[in-house]
Amino acid sequence: MGSLEPLQRDFEVPTIDLSSYLQDPDSSQASTVVEQIRKACATSGFFQLTGHGIQKTLQQQAFAAARTFFNISDQEKRNLCGKPGRGYEVMGKQFLEPGKQPDLKEGFFIGREIEGATPPFRPFQEPNIWPSPDLIPESQFKLPLLDYYRSVSDLSFIIMKILASGLEHSNFDTSVFAEFCHEPISSIRLLHYPPHPDTKDDSLVGTGAHTDFGAITLLLQDGNSGLQVLNQATNEWLDVEPREDAYVVNIGDMLDVWTNGAYKSTVHRVINTSGGERYSIPFFLDGNPDCTIKSLGTGDSMGTGKTYTVEQHMLSRYAASYK
Ligand SMILES: O=C(O)CCC(=O)C(=O)O
Ligand SMILES: [Fe+2]
């Protein structure tokens, strides 16, 4: 076996078909899927997932909901702003890349619905904010989006299992993943990018260069290009093909820390040069708020001796990237 360091030419975003794993996770085809995912996460930290079992009609309903929402008036959207991770986020509210202008995108966050929750609410656990049914009927927004949320959330737990299986022969204790997936902070975010106003002005970005905060992200794209991943070895941006049938799955900072970089959280950005409007819907699995983020290997390989909870980590990342 050669060096474990990935070669530069291995930096790619492969497409991986999950169907054999879903049919029988103990089959030999399923082990191939586990290995393909492990390898992708150890190199670019990104892959596209097909055969994931999420219905095309549900995905289309989620995009239709996003289009309807972003078309309502500016004032009506602003009335639906909320705490971090909930409701409407105005254009330019997030500022991900120092040295660039604020992100040219608007968004709408939906978190896990918590039955019977009463105040005071912990951060990221506030009730969702919904447009009044007179503005957008529940059948066109709230209901399909909650359905969509549950489906992608279930898929994210399956991917966490696969990522744990991929580490079976390492010294990482992945038993914490079950706790992490219990009552997690997680959200879907409807995103709308207007056409890029001036492709010659490189201070303008749709989503500035960043790494994701949580464990994994499952992103649905609308077929418009714009997402790029940074190959740090060559300092080149790799375009991610906008496939409507696939989820772009990527590793976030928590998993990178847990695995000492065995799974990589890679810098990415969006520049909407598609010429038209671009919509995307990321799902972020950020985990149980009380879970600790530190190396799961033996010894304190982070060297700092510091540990953070999911909640502390999320609060500090939101504070750093929101105006
Ligand atoms: O819109 C996209 O394609 C990616 C968005 C993204 O990277 C994020 O929200 O973290
Ligand atoms: Fe991201």
Side-chain angles (χ1 to χ4, degrees):
M1 207 160 131
S3 157
L4 286 177
E5 271 308 300
L7 296 171
Q8 284 177 19
R9 67 168 180 276
D10 283 342
F11 193 96
E12 56 179 16
V13 178
T15 299
I16 300 171
D17 180 353
L18 190 65
S19 50
S20 57
Y21 183 95
L22 293 179
Q23 259 158 35
D24 178 4
D26 299 319
S27 64
S28 67
Q29 291 95 321
S31 333
T32 308
V33 172
V34 170
E35 176 51 21
Q36 286 172 327
I37 291 181
R38 185 205 64 75
K39 186 167 173 243
C41 294
T43 50
S44 70
F46 272 78
F47 58 95
Q48 300 234 38
L49 193 68
T50 56
H52 43 68
I54 295 189
Q55 295 296 314
K56 182 92 202 143
T57 47
L58 188 54
Q59 296 174 330
Q60 284 167 340
Q61 283 174 338
F63 274 123
R67 286 194 186 91
T68 304
F69 176 79
F70 290 118
N71 265 323
I72 66 177
S73 76
D74 202 42
Q75 191 51 54
E76 280 161 337
K77 285 189 278 194
R78 283 173 188 269
N79 291 342
L80 296 166
C81 290
K83 292 262 170 61
R86 294 290 181 276
Y88 180 58
E89 186 186 329
V90 299
M91 186 84 65
K93 173 101 179 140
Q94 201 175 27
F95 202 144
L96 275 164
E97 187 175 352
K100 304 271 172 172
Q101 295 190 42
D103 293 0
L104 280 170
K105 63 170 196 267
E106 56 179 342
F108 189 88
F109 272 107
I110 298 159
R112 187 167 56 86
E113 287 269 283
I114 304 170
E115 294 285 318
T118 49
F121 301 111
R122 287 179 66 171
F124 308 106
Q125 302 204 25
E126 291 91 2
N128 280 316
I129 295 172
W130 301 107
S132 93
D134 307 334
L135 196 58
I136 310 180
E138 289 191 347
S139 60
Q140 286 175 32
F141 194 80
K142 178 176 176 179
L143 301 179
L145 288 173
L146 284 179
D147 235 8
Y148 181 76
Y149 178 98
R150 281 185 288 265
S151 303
V152 190
S153 177
D154 288 347
L155 178 61
S156 74
F157 298 153
I158 294 173
I159 296 169
M160 287 298 282
K161 274 202 188 123
I162 293 177
L163 291 171
S165 304
L167 294 172
E168 228 158 49
H169 303 295
S170 70
N171 67 345
F172 299 116
D173 176 8
T174 56
S175 56
V176 68
F177 284 15
E179 184 199 335
F180 183 80
C181 293
H182 178 65
E183 300 187 343
I185 297 174
S186 46
S187 52
I188 51 175
R189 188 185 195 188
L190 312 176
L191 285 175
H192 169 226
Y193 299 88
H196 200 73
D198 178 2
T199 45
K200 288 192 208 77
D201 182 350
D202 70 2
S203 73
L204 299 174
V205 281
T207 288
H210 69 284
T211 51
D212 286 351
F213 309 163
I216 49 172
T217 303
L218 279 69
L219 169 81
L220 191 61
Q221 305 188 83
D222 70 348
N224 283 309
S225 57
L227 177 62
Q228 300 180 319
V229 181
L230 183 66
N231 181 349
Q232 239 157 356
T234 61
N235 210 27
E236 283 167 338
W237 291 99
L238 178 72
D239 291 316
V240 178
E241 187 194 345
R243 292 183 61 145
E244 287 173 89
D245 58 334
Y247 282 91
V248 176
V249 181
N250 69 284
I251 300 291
D253 293 341
M254 292 181 194
L255 262 175
D256 192 312
V257 169
W258 268 343
T259 65
N260 283 343
Y263 288 153
K264 299 209 176 342
S265 175
T266 301
V267 174
H268 53 285
R269 69 179 183 187
V270 174
I271 300 190
N272 179 19
T273 50
S274 67
E277 315 286 328
R278 178 176 187 270
Y279 295 85
S280 70
I281 311 181
F283 169 88
F284 303 103
L285 177 60
D286 298 324
N288 185 285
D290 297 316
C291 224
T292 306
I293 310 161
K294 60 171 187 191
S295 166
L296 300 177
T298 43
D300 173 23
S301 39
M302 283 181 76
T304 61
K306 270 193 181 167
T307 57
Y308 301 87
T309 64
V310 163
E311 187 180 84
Q312 288 165 336
H313 172 77
M314 293 302 292
L315 285 170
S316 84
R317 295 299 292 271
Y318 266 71
S321 69
Y322 279 92
K323 291 202 294 179

